[in-house]
Amino acid sequence: MRTALIFRLGLTAVLTFALFACATPKQPPMPVGNLKLGVAYFTQPEYTGDLLAGYMTDDVQRIDEKVLSDLDGLFSSVLARESKHSFESQESALRCGKKQEQDKKQAAIRRWSAIGRCMGVDILLVPQMLEWRERDGGDYGVVTPAKVVMDIYVLDVHAESLISRSRYDETQSALTSNLLDTGKFIKRGGKWVTARDLAKEGMVKAVKELGL
């Protein structure tokens, strides 16, 4: 009886430690001042020139446009709930983006900066989804877990320069395969989550990391 109690206390301590160890530290708020903020629409880079940083991986499956459109709405709702700032909408970015379509050979940072200036903003959030794999299975058992690789950039559109970046690269793993993921396991309700759930998790992480 005493051994079982000690075991339970030890397990509780481990789970508590893991939960706090996995928490994303909240950064100081971004010094916005009188700057106007905007948020762009989700895209999936097709080649290296579409990237604001990093490199392309091989054999990445194309993401359905409906998924990217759904992510736009999800990101808007996360910003509305998690951020203290207001943002010029993705609809405005889409309108301005159409004006840049004829110049797709332009460097990504210049193209997005032009979109931001067209929107009338000073700072533009640019979300890019690099990989998206939906889970094959249900809440309590999967053949293949969900995977999301996502970058969210903060761009100074006047200087055409990158201010900061939040990267989220997550493939859900079983609790038994990695005890370091115990905190994530608890926060996810002990379930196998969807790719959309992971994307939302990455968006919240970005708001905290970038001080939005």
Side-chain angles (χ1 to χ4, degrees):
M1 185 76 172
R2 184 175 180 180
T3 301
L5 177 60
I6 293 173
F7 174 78
R8 285 198 297 271
L9 290 173
L11 180 60
T12 300
V14 169
L15 295 179
T16 302
F17 172 79
L19 181 60
F20 282 99
C22 293
T24 302
K26 188 171 184 178
Q27 301 300 316
M30 188 170 64
V32 173
N34 295 322
L35 298 178
K36 190 172 182 180
L37 307 179
V39 56
Y41 46 91
F42 264 92
T43 59
Q44 182 186 20
E46 295 185 30
Y47 56 94
T48 302
D50 289 334
L51 296 171
L52 288 165
Y55 56 89
M56 296 289 295
T57 56
D58 297 328
D59 301 324
V60 175
Q61 296 294 317
R62 299 308 301 165
I63 302 171
D64 192 290
E65 287 296 327
K66 291 182 180 179
V67 171
L68 295 176
S69 179
D70 177 65
L71 290 172
D72 289 340
L74 180 62
F75 196 23
S76 289
S77 66
V78 168
L79 288 172
R81 186 177 63 256
E82 301 288 339
S83 176
K84 296 181 180 179
H85 304 301
S86 59
F87 295 83
E88 184 69 21
S89 71
Q90 290 140 328
E91 287 78 9
S92 176
L94 282 166
R95 287 194 298 271
C96 290
K98 290 181 179 179
K99 299 178 182 180
Q100 299 296 319
E101 287 181 355
Q102 68 274 17
D103 197 6
K104 290 185 177 181
K105 292 182 179 180
Q106 191 177 43
I109 196 164
R110 297 196 66 185
R111 187 165 65 251
W112 285 113
S113 294
I115 290 172
R117 291 192 297 270
C118 171
M119 294 168 66
V121 302
D122 304 295
I123 303 296
L124 182 65
L125 300 186
V126 181
Q128 293 189 331
M129 185 63 69
L130 282 77
E131 292 188 51
W132 175 275
R133 185 180 71 204
E134 191 52 90
R135 72 182 182 189
D136 180 6
D139 289 350
Y140 298 104
V142 295
V143 176
T144 306
K147 177 179 182 178
V148 163
V149 181
M150 175 175 65
D151 283 324
I152 295 178
Y153 300 93
V154 181
L155 187 65
D156 180 335
V157 304
H158 300 295
E160 296 189 350
S161 62
L162 190 62
I163 298 174
S164 53
R165 169 197 186 192
S166 176
R167 185 170 182 82
Y168 182 79
D169 186 341
E170 183 75 11
T171 304
Q172 189 178 12
S173 59
L175 178 62
T176 53
S177 66
N178 189 353
L179 288 177
L180 294 178
D181 281 344
T182 302
K184 295 178 182 178
F185 178 83
I186 295 172
K187 290 171 68 174
R188 293 167 181 165
K191 299 178 182 179
W192 290 97
V193 297
T194 64
R196 191 177 191 275
D197 293 329
L198 289 182
K200 182 179 179 180
E201 190 176 279
M203 293 171 188
V204 173
K205 171 179 175 286
V207 171
K208 293 178 180 179
E209 279 188 347
L210 300 172
L212 298 172

